[in-house]
Amino acid sequence: MKKPTIGVLALQGAVREHIQMLETCGARGVALKYPAELNLCQGIIIPGGESTTIGKLMVACGFLDEVRDASRAGIPVYGTCAGLIMMAQRIAEGDQPLLGLMDITARRNAFGRQVDSFETDLVIEDIAEKPRTFRAVFIRAPWIDEVGNGVRILGEFGGKVVMARQDGMLVSAFHPELTGDERIHRYFLKMVEEAR
Ligand code: GLN
């Protein structure tokens, strides 16, 4: 089968690392700058960065509706960190543009200022076979306060949900593109394969 093309939203944030990871996994990673480029993609990644900025730019560039439509049409979407916030139907505080696709409530900067960046080893369902763990890098990360019925929890840290999936939508509060571990990107590519 032809290599899948995965678009990494390239308005702001950790774009290049995702593209490198996708290429390592045998997919084609492209930096998405214009909504029309979504037509080339069999999967979409919303990277980490600053969700208020990403949201404003997505509105300004016409990406918000287009990514929403692509997801509803069955294109798998993976949001990391700020991308998780963009995917949420609700945020715990404040008001900002969201894709609003996934039945979760995200809490921004949830781990607090004291520990705004840290790394830890997580057991991720479906991905790290127990007891093998996944090294997770959290940078001013959100967590998930509530999940709806259709949402499967894939990872938790300190009793908080930090990774979840709902159909073709995947989110993680941490940054798997910053470690050399490809397993989460491979998991997403499997979702893309299944959707094709
Ligand atoms: N704190 C950022 C936000 O609220 C997310 C940080 C990140 O993506 N690393 O949007």
Side-chain angles (χ1 to χ4, degrees):
M1 207 186 255
K2 228 181 113 228
K3 271 190 185 189
T5 298
I6 310 298
V8 182
L9 190 72
L11 301 176
Q12 194 244 1
V15 176
R16 204 188 35 182
E17 295 84 350
H18 275 295
I19 290 178
Q20 275 167 3
M21 194 65 115
L22 290 164
E23 299 278 334
T24 307
C25 295
R28 210 157 72 83
V30 297
L32 287 178
K33 297 234 166 68
Y34 305 99
E37 294 164 330
L38 284 168
N39 291 329
L40 308 168
C41 302
Q42 286 86 52
I44 302 166
I45 291 180
I46 319 280
E50 175 56 47
S51 61
T52 50
T53 306
I54 293 175
K56 272 185 214 146
L57 291 172
M58 283 186 87
V59 172
C61 300
F63 264 116
L64 206 68
D65 291 338
E66 297 286 333
V67 172
R68 208 179 270 144
D69 289 351
S71 173
R72 288 185 178 148
I75 301 288
V77 184
Y78 174 26
T80 57
C81 203
L84 174 152
I85 298 163
M86 290 306 305
M87 289 295 282
Q89 285 181 5
R90 301 166 296 275
I91 51 172
E93 280 164 18
D95 186 25
Q96 62 190 75
L98 301 172
L99 286 162
L101 289 164
M102 212 168 144
D103 191 2
I104 57 174
T105 305
R107 183 174 293 275
R108 296 181 61 207
N109 305 314
F111 292 95
R113 286 223 180 89
Q114 301 296 325
V115 280
D116 64 4
S117 298
F118 61 96
E119 294 185 28
T120 189
D121 292 317
L122 297 181
V123 175
I124 307 285
E125 298 294 325
D126 297 348
I127 292 161
E129 294 138 34
K130 289 172 191 171
R132 278 190 69 201
T133 51
F134 192 94
R135 189 83 184 151
V137 180
F138 290 81
I139 305 167
R140 291 184 299 287
W143 69 45
I144 298 171
D145 269 345
E146 296 166 348
V147 301
N149 285 335
V151 178
R152 201 159 109 73
I153 295 170
L154 297 181
E156 291 180 87
F157 175 68
K160 302 296 179 187
V161 179
V162 293
M163 183 158 183
R165 175 177 176 180
Q166 180 180 8
D167 305 320
M169 299 175 282
L170 183 69
V171 291
S172 68
F174 53 90
H175 288 257
E177 77 284 9
L178 298 182
T179 60
D181 195 333
E182 299 148 14
R183 285 176 292 168
I184 291 180
H185 286 79
R186 289 193 188 278
Y187 179 80
F188 179 63
L189 289 172
K190 218 164 76 191
M191 289 170 56
V192 169
E193 207 56 64
E194 282 161 13
R196 281 167 95 183

